[in-house]
Amino acid sequence: MWTLCILFALLLCHVTSPAPVIPAPWGSIQGIDMEGRGGRKLSGYLGIPFARPPTGELRWQKPHPHPGPGEGKVFVADTVVPACPQDTAMLGVTAGTNEDCLTLDVYVPATVTSPRPVMVFIHGGGMLYGESAPYRPFKLVADGDVIVVAIQYRLGTLGFLSTGDDTLPGNLGLWDQNLALRWVKDNIRAFGGDPEVVTLFGESAGGWSTGLLIELSRLLDCEADTDKKAVECLKTRSADDIVNKTNEWMASSGFTNTIGVRVDGDFIPRDPVELTGDEQYVQEIGMGDIDVIIGFNNKEGAIITIASELEGSPMEGFSDAMMFTSILEHAVKQYNNGQTSTLLNAVVDFFYRGADAGSNNSVPLDALVNLFGDMMFYAHTVEWLRPLAAQPHKGSRYLYVMEHDFHFNRNRVRGSHHGDELWLQFDMVFPEDSMLPKLNKSMSHLSEEDEKMSDLFVKIWTDFAKTGNPNAPLQTALGGDWPEFTSENEAYLSLSLTPQVGRDVMRDRVALWLQLVPQIVSITQRQEEQPAPADSTKDEL
């Protein structure tokens, strides 16, 4: 049974002694025993390479499986390893960066008496940032009695640069994730895990790569008459130079997320929303049999305030009408084939600002947060889930909204921001150079209410990982089961310390982006395609 969770997220432990050597098919692996918050204990196997270093001629190629330590040798997996190359000013990194970064961490309960369900965590960061080290799953492993695997994958230019053809098709970070999952399938039984009961969970993000190869070639003296020659030249440049020049170009050009997942005809054969609506494709890949929980936090859009908060002025600048309009126009382009539209701008502006639409009046912070959350997270989530629920399926489909009032947001935008649920699942301490501790040091500990929410959240997730059914910890509060999301009811769980079942999540806001805006786009296109009427004027003379 495979299940899937999608969440819209320095060693925090005391190392006590070496853990048992694992005789895996890949090779023998020595880990360490670890102790986390509340005295929770587990065994950790850190920095296991699942792929050969993607350097030299292997740069910008699909990952090649790592052969293991060799017969008679033991791989010592007791140290945090470098992150994949990235701009470290954003999240910071624990142990530096290196192209030799395709590794995974395995966390095992202190005692394993029977094959345990496996949860594989894929870190977020917009395909640009992140690493596995900060995410220490003591509570998931010790309390939930599951095995957790955290993986690393290539980021930014090194993971998602594309020429749009066979020269460099892109999506290499996704191929890294795929190979890591194959490693888990082949080796997790040796750790006490069940390779047939695997749950994927993580934070999902992405963008699109546009024209970057040309700019990188120019900035790194690799201009050539073909993309293939430019790529071969760029393979001779250092990873640091590539990352730095990418950031330099993005900053100067105004593009902040031009690198990411693309439809390549291979890993992603067609647009993901189109694929989920293709019944034959869904059945062919077995998606109809996979259990799914997908959800988001009720204040996802508050992520847009982070930059201002880091500068010491938490809300300054976020009432500016020009900033609101800029985000609005970007949102409209997403749904209008990349084109601007005065009509759509006016409609969306009125939806969020009412009678202030079109004015220079200050914008309520909630309007900005809602706009950003709706177009980045909420509408896309429902758009993806609806066809999965409508098609024949054996697997369960659940939708939730995290409504918990985190204590560290009570002087900010109250509620659950982007990534906040990770603090419920993991013992997390980010490096000192990370923006997150600077943003709010109180995030490094949970209040009593947050701890209770963490207990409930971990129980829901680990029960789901074991059985595909998350209902046991919810039945008393709900007076029954959390109903699945179907085409008829579109049920969702409002998740807090007093959970409730709702219908038609954020109904009007989702309908704006999935119904009204597409209708206006369609009508406008039809009008533009109609031939102009013939001149009906007559010469009266």
Side-chain angles (χ1 to χ4, degrees):
M1 176 185 70
W2 280 75
T3 53
L4 173 67
C5 282
I6 304 177
L7 303 177
F8 295 78
L10 295 174
L11 281 172
L12 180 61
C13 66
H14 174 64
V15 177
T16 56
S17 62
V21 174
I22 300 295
W26 177 81
S28 297
I29 308 169
Q30 172 76 66
I32 51 174
D33 289 332
M34 304 165 69
E35 185 174 316
R37 190 173 76 230
R40 295 180 176 89
K41 297 180 180 180
L42 53 75
S43 295
Y45 299 83
L46 311 178
I48 303 170
F50 62 84
R52 293 181 182 274
T55 57
E57 285 302 309
L58 296 186
R59 180 185 283 171
W60 289 312
Q61 287 191 21
K62 291 179 182 179
H64 292 237
H66 194 284
E71 187 175 352
K73 298 180 180 179
V74 176
F75 181 83
V76 179
D78 63 357
T79 306
V80 174
V81 298
C84 291
Q86 60 192 274
D87 179 3
T88 60
M90 181 65 71
L91 296 179
V93 290
T94 305
T97 64
N98 195 299
E99 272 193 277
D100 185 3
C101 62
L102 299 184
T103 62
L104 52 81
D105 307 327
V106 182
Y107 300 95
V108 182
T111 303
V112 177
T113 58
S114 61
R116 307 313 308 143
V118 181
M119 301 181 71
V120 179
F121 177 71
I122 302 174
H123 71 75
M127 307 295 181
L128 295 170
Y129 316 104
E131 59 177 329
S132 62
Y135 304 95
R136 298 294 159 180
F138 289 98
K139 201 164 190 174
L140 286 167
V141 173
D143 293 3
D145 195 26
V146 298
I147 290 174
V148 172
V149 181
I151 68 176
Q152 297 196 149
Y153 54 95
R154 282 173 283 182
L155 304 166
T157 308
L158 294 169
F160 295 93
L161 179 66
S162 175
T163 59
D165 57 25
D166 292 341
T167 300
L168 212 173
N171 290 342
L172 294 171
L174 299 185
W175 287 108
D176 296 340
Q177 296 171 20
N178 178 270
L179 183 59
L181 292 173
R182 292 182 182 276
W183 192 98
V184 171
K185 181 81 170 178
D186 293 340
N187 292 277
I188 204 65
R189 192 181 299 278
F191 293 85
D194 187 340
E196 301 302 322
V197 184
V198 178
T199 297
L200 312 182
F201 72 123
E203 294 179 281
S204 177
W208 292 94
S209 178
T210 307
L212 180 56
L213 178 65
I214 297 172
E215 295 301 325
L216 269 182
S217 300
R218 179 180 62 81
L219 293 170
L220 290 169
D221 297 322
C222 280
E223 290 179 285
D225 56 358
T226 68
D227 287 345
K228 185 174 182 179
K229 291 179 181 178
V231 170
E232 290 303 314
C233 177
L234 288 171
K235 286 182 178 180
T236 68
R237 303 301 189 252
S238 74
D240 285 344
D241 282 346
I242 289 173
V243 170
N244 292 337
K245 291 301 182 182
T246 299
N247 293 334
E248 180 183 312
W249 175 74
M250 289 168 66
S252 64
S253 64
F255 289 98
T256 57
N257 191 10
T258 61
I259 302 166
V261 176
R262 61 177 295 273
V263 176
D264 59 1
D266 188 5
F267 197 100
I268 303 177
R270 285 178 281 146
D271 180 271
V273 173
E274 180 184 340
L275 290 174
T276 57
D278 184 336
E279 182 176 332
Q280 181 178 348
Y281 177 81
V282 168
Q283 298 307 315
E284 284 177 355
I285 66 171
M287 191 67 186
D289 296 330
I290 295 176
D291 300 313
V292 175
I293 287 181
I294 188 169
F296 40 71
N297 298 341
N298 68 341
K299 296 295 180 181
E300 293 275 2
I303 190 175
I304 201 169
T305 67
I306 285 178
S308 183
E309 292 187 55
L310 288 174
E311 295 171 0
S313 53
M315 304 307 167
E316 186 176 321
F318 285 94
S319 62
D320 185 79
M322 289 184 63
M323 180 177 184
F324 177 87
T325 300
S326 175
I327 296 170
L328 183 152
E329 290 175 350
H330 176 74
V332 166
K333 285 182 180 180
Q334 279 195 28
Y335 287 83
N336 192 35
N337 303 313
Q339 303 298 312
T340 59
S341 169
T342 302
L343 174 60
L344 282 175
N345 289 349
V347 170
V348 174
D349 195 359
F350 186 83
F351 181 89
Y352 288 99
R353 289 206 292 162
D356 282 337
S359 75
N360 290 321
N361 295 344
S362 61
V363 180
L365 183 60
D366 276 350
L368 180 65
V369 169
N370 289 346
L371 168 62
F372 196 74
D374 292 350
M375 68 99 172
M376 286 293 293
F377 302 101
Y378 307 141
H380 291 305
T381 300
V382 175
E383 184 180 28
W384 183 82
L385 186 57
R386 278 176 174 169
L388 279 185
Q391 296 178 22
H393 59 274
K394 297 178 182 177
S396 54
R397 277 87 173 93
Y398 293 102
L399 175 66
Y400 78 90
V401 181
M402 174 64 73
E403 306 267 8
H404 180 63
D405 187 16
F406 284 89
H407 84 280
F408 45 71
N409 290 334
R410 290 179 183 172
N411 293 323
R412 306 161 67 209
V413 177
R414 293 190 66 150
S416 299
H417 297 189
H418 184 66
D420 281 352
E421 77 286 344
L422 295 173
W423 299 92
L424 303 178
Q425 297 173 295
F426 297 95
D427 292 12
M428 297 206 308
V429 172
F430 282 85
E432 283 300 314
D433 58 347
S434 167
M435 70 173 187
L436 290 177
K438 297 174 187 175
L439 178 61
N440 198 321
K441 290 186 177 181
S442 65
M443 294 175 78
S444 62
H445 73 276
L446 301 180
S447 69
E448 183 177 347
E449 287 186 345
D450 295 340
E451 286 284 7
K452 290 179 180 178
M453 189 68 239
S454 174
D455 292 341
L456 175 60
F457 200 56
V458 165
K459 180 65 173 170
I460 290 171
W461 251 243
T462 53
D463 278 7
F464 180 76
K466 294 170 186 175
T467 67
N469 187 336
N471 279 294
L474 294 165
Q475 287 180 327
T476 299
L478 295 179
D481 285 347
W482 170 5
E484 291 187 39
F485 183 99
T486 68
S487 299
E488 293 73 29
N489 66 18
E490 296 208 347
Y492 70 95
L493 178 68
S494 173
L495 188 51
S496 68
L497 291 176
T498 55
Q500 301 177 30
V501 172
R503 300 282 189 276
D504 300 316
V505 64
M506 300 180 182
R507 182 179 182 182
D508 291 342
R509 291 159 59 183
V510 168
L512 170 71
W513 294 104
L514 299 188
Q515 292 173 230
L516 182 58
V517 167
Q519 286 174 0
I520 294 174
V521 170
S522 178
I523 292 170
T524 302
Q525 288 177 341
R526 288 201 302 269
Q527 290 176 338
E528 291 173 349
E529 292 169 358
Q530 289 178 353
D535 189 352
S536 60
T537 60
K538 296 181 179 180
D539 188 348
E540 299 294 336
L541 298 177

